[in-house]
Amino acid sequence: MEEMDNSDILGQVLMLGYMGETASDTILHWIRDHKVGGIKVFGWNANDLDILSQTITEMQKTAVESSLEIPLFIATDQEGGWVRHVKGETSITPGNLAIGASGLPYDAYMTGYLIGMELKALGINMNFAPTVDVYLNPLADVIGPRAFSHDPVQTGILGLAFLKGQDEAGVISTAKHYPGHGNAEEDSHGTLPVIQSTKTFLENNDLIPYKMMIQEGLPAVMVGHLAYPQISGDMTPASLSSLFLRDILRTEMGYKGLIITDDLVMQGAHAGDLSLPEVCEESLRAGSDILLVSRNPENHEKIWDHLTVLMNEDEEFRKIVEQACRQVLLKKIEYLKREDRVPLFPAEIEPSLPIPAEGGESFFFSQAVRSTTLLRNERIPIGDSSSVLIAGMFSQYRSQGLEFFPQAETMRIPYSFDTEEKWQVINELLRRAESFETVIFSLSRYQDLRILKELSALQDKLIVLSSLTPVYINETPWVRDAVAVYGTGWESFAAGFGAIRGDFTPTGHLPIPLEE
């Protein structure tokens, strides 16, 4: 740090997204000339894994060939299950709620390890996972199956096991979304969620996983754009609040790792009249160490200009940023100089690490089976002699259904539909159902529930295969037979159909309470 000027110090606390699949001159300029500390890989950057590996190699070479020779944090969101920014050949896992349903720390550890090994193969050294939001509110749609459980202690145990698995792979875990998104009904991408929890409630629920993981050396936390007026007395997002970042997280909870913001272009960070550069300033003043800002080079320039002026004119602000930079460098020393570190130049590793990770397919299938949960049962298992109609949106769901019931017919449920189209789908489904002994219906989202609510006439022949969160089954108490899986990959659907056919007896436990 003695060799770094104000510009170098400021650069290290910025983590930027980039446009397209390859490293443009613009992002290379930021890495070379502004010494930015991190790059975030979003879904739009990761359509081709070979290109991604080459792009990360080019960006890291640009960083280490600069005067300071400081490598980059390369981060992404690879939670498993629902959120998987790096696609291609990477594993589709059953997801966190499935881990909660099996209840085994081993499943969390291996999921973190296998995801970590796939990221390692690509040169991604930081993952914005695990999600340790406690699933307290059934209406927390943006979290849902991304959570492990409604139980804060179980969430902490499984989150910690996931962290240990990623750490074994050399990847930096980032627990999110501090202080906790699992009691919010709104999505911070589009608005500022307002959570009416008291400090006591927060300490006894949302903060429990963080307390447990901090005791075991949690390396990074992502702070959400969430307002807690009962605690702060105002509508300041936690990501801009010194109360939540310095007083509670640092002082009361003893946290010593990195504090990273959720993407600051999200609407939740802009509840007041602050501009994006001012939001970045306030977040640093509140105690953030890394500012995550996704696309748009024009935004990046405005932020840089605003913060540069402050670095040069405001001594207090400069000291705050210096401390954040120190945190960044210490974590880079800890992880990026390890013998088993994530490679800086993945495109040059021969032979390259395998994607999907070795043993991943068999593990994730067995984990999907362990987590499968019997919700309601009068007819299950049905064997393979029943005539079956398989109805659902996901093509993977329908194709897996045919693997287990080869003589079945399928019906596609549209992704979206207006009211008139909804009734066309319902009438078609009711008409076709007359020819079958069993109808297996996929329930994974509110749109599916709109259809299911109108199918009570089929209750004697209907079996619901719930995927993702099972909360929607609460809306149809007349459904007599239902099985829950928690992912949308082939493994999860195969486990669900296998349970319905009778290949095994489901042993998963509901990770969230449902209405009796």
Side-chain angles (χ1 to χ4, degrees):
M1 287 192 68
E2 290 179 357
E3 299 177 17
M4 299 171 73
D5 59 24
N6 284 353
S7 176
D8 299 330
I9 291 168
L10 177 60
Q12 284 298 306
V13 306
L14 297 179
M15 178 175 284
L16 306 182
Y18 61 101
M19 313 285 280
E21 294 185 339
T22 59
S24 66
D25 291 341
T26 300
I27 199 63
L28 293 177
H29 154 71
W30 278 92
I31 296 169
R32 181 179 55 250
D33 300 327
H34 289 323
K35 314 293 196 304
V36 293
I39 299 294
K40 168 68 193 301
V41 175
F42 288 87
W44 59 76
N45 306 127
N47 294 314
D48 186 301
L49 298 188
D50 287 335
I51 293 175
L52 178 61
S53 175
Q54 293 164 11
T55 299
I56 290 172
T57 297
E58 182 179 10
M59 291 191 291
Q60 287 285 26
K61 283 191 170 183
T62 302
V64 300
E65 289 170 1
S66 67
S67 58
L68 295 175
E69 303 180 13
I70 301 174
L72 298 159
F73 284 141
I74 304 289
T76 195
D77 286 284
Q78 201 79 346
E79 300 173 13
W82 193 7
V83 176
R84 172 174 159 259
H85 281 193
V86 181
K87 295 183 171 61
E89 295 77 36
T90 62
S91 296
I92 300 174
T93 83
N96 283 355
L97 209 54
I99 297 172
S102 74
L104 298 176
Y106 170 81
D107 284 346
Y109 176 89
M110 285 303 299
T111 298
Y113 174 74
L114 292 167
I115 288 175
M117 290 302 292
E118 293 180 357
L119 296 181
K120 185 174 189 173
L122 296 166
I124 297 172
N125 51 43
M126 176 180 280
N127 192 12
F128 294 152
T131 298
V132 293
D133 298 306
V134 184
Y135 199 173
L136 298 167
N137 187 341
L139 299 179
D141 291 341
V142 71
I143 299 302
R146 300 165 67 188
F148 288 108
S149 171
H150 80 289
D151 181 274
V153 174
Q154 185 184 34
T155 298
I157 291 170
L158 298 177
L160 180 57
F162 190 106
L163 178 156
K164 294 294 185 182
Q166 282 201 142
D167 197 77
E168 180 72 16
V171 173
I172 302 167
S173 293
T174 308
K176 65 184 184 185
H177 306 79
Y178 172 83
H181 211 310
N183 205 18
E185 296 185 13
E186 299 89 1
D187 182 350
S188 54
H189 286 84
T191 188
L192 174 63
V194 179
I195 302 172
Q196 298 296 344
S197 299
T198 64
K199 178 79 177 302
T200 300
F201 184 89
L202 196 72
E203 289 179 337
N204 293 334
N205 291 277
D206 303 81
L207 298 186
I208 292 293
Y210 293 98
K211 292 176 181 178
M212 296 172 69
M213 297 171 78
I214 287 169
Q215 294 299 313
E216 295 292 328
L218 174 63
V221 162
M222 173 172 278
V223 57
H225 310 310
L226 307 160
Y228 290 85
Q230 299 290 338
I231 301 172
S232 65
D234 57 32
M235 297 293 288
T236 302
S239 51
L240 277 61
S241 169
S242 62
L243 170 65
F244 280 100
L245 302 188
R246 296 190 192 281
D247 298 347
I248 297 176
L249 185 57
R250 292 286 191 207
T251 302
E252 295 181 16
M253 298 172 65
Y255 176 63
K256 300 185 185 305
L258 287 172
I259 299 176
I260 305 172
T261 69
D262 208 343
D263 193 347
L264 289 167
V265 304
M266 293 164 59
Q267 286 301 308
H270 298 265
D273 297 325
L274 299 178
S275 65
L276 179 56
E278 290 169 334
V279 165
C280 293
E281 173 191 343
E282 290 304 309
S283 187
L284 285 169
R285 290 189 186 278
S288 295
D289 299 313
I290 295 179
L291 305 176
L292 171 61
V293 186
S294 57
R295 290 187 287 190
N296 195 329
E298 291 181 4
N299 283 339
H300 298 164
E301 292 290 351
K302 291 176 182 177
I303 292 166
W304 182 263
D305 291 344
H306 179 77
L307 298 182
T308 297
V309 170
L310 290 171
M311 288 289 289
N312 294 329
E313 297 181 356
D314 187 330
E315 181 68 14
E316 179 185 1
F317 182 79
R318 185 180 64 79
K319 289 181 178 179
I320 288 171
V321 179
E322 276 186 354
Q323 178 57 32
C325 175
R326 183 178 297 277
Q327 289 280 97
V328 170
L329 295 180
L330 287 170
K331 201 57 65 179
K332 287 185 175 181
I333 290 169
E334 181 182 349
Y335 275 86
L336 304 189
K337 294 176 75 69
R338 283 170 41 164
E339 285 190 15
D340 61 344
R341 65 184 176 272
V342 172
L344 297 182
F345 314 134
E348 298 180 355
I349 300 296
E350 293 291 345
S352 59
L353 294 171
I355 298 177
E358 187 174 347
E361 182 173 342
S362 61
F363 167 76
F364 288 125
F365 175 64
S366 68
Q367 203 267 309
V369 170
R370 282 191 292 279
S371 63
T372 302
T373 308
L374 197 58
L375 302 180
R376 299 174 187 168
N377 184 25
E378 286 191 6
R379 300 175 56 220
I380 300 172
I382 63 172
D384 54 12
S385 60
S386 177
S387 63
V388 177
L389 174 64
I390 297 166
M393 177 189 72
F394 296 104
S395 59
Q396 187 74 260
Y397 163 83
R398 299 191 301 273
S399 62
Q400 280 299 315
L402 291 175
E403 291 287 328
F404 285 82
F405 299 98
Q407 305 304 315
E409 293 185 16
T410 64
M411 177 175 168
R412 176 181 172 272
I413 304 297
Y415 176 78
S416 61
F417 42 80
D418 58 27
T419 300
E420 182 179 352
E421 292 167 332
K422 180 191 85 167
W423 284 105
Q424 291 174 355
V425 173
I426 291 166
N427 291 334
E428 175 69 6
L429 184 52
L430 290 172
R431 183 188 65 78
R432 292 188 63 183
E434 293 178 359
S435 303
F436 296 90
E437 297 173 12
T438 301
V439 176
I440 304 177
F441 183 85
S442 172
L443 176 63
S444 64
R445 63 209 174 108
Y446 180 73
Q447 287 287 72
D448 299 328
L449 179 61
R450 292 176 63 199
I451 301 291
L452 181 60
K453 281 183 173 181
E454 308 301 332
L455 302 180
S456 59
L458 301 179
Q459 59 184 295
D460 291 336
K461 60 174 64 178
L462 186 73
I463 297 175
V464 170
L465 178 48
S466 168
S467 57
L468 301 176
T469 176
V471 296
Y472 299 115
I473 201 71
N474 284 336
E475 304 279 333
T476 54
W478 52 266
V479 169
R480 299 173 181 173
D481 292 273
V483 170
V485 296
Y486 305 93
T488 56
W490 75 264
E491 302 93 341
S492 297
F493 290 133
F497 281 112
I500 291 169
R501 189 171 68 177
D503 295 3
F504 67 98
T505 300
T507 58
H509 300 279
L510 270 173
I512 56 172
L514 295 181
E515 296 174 6
E516 295 294 335

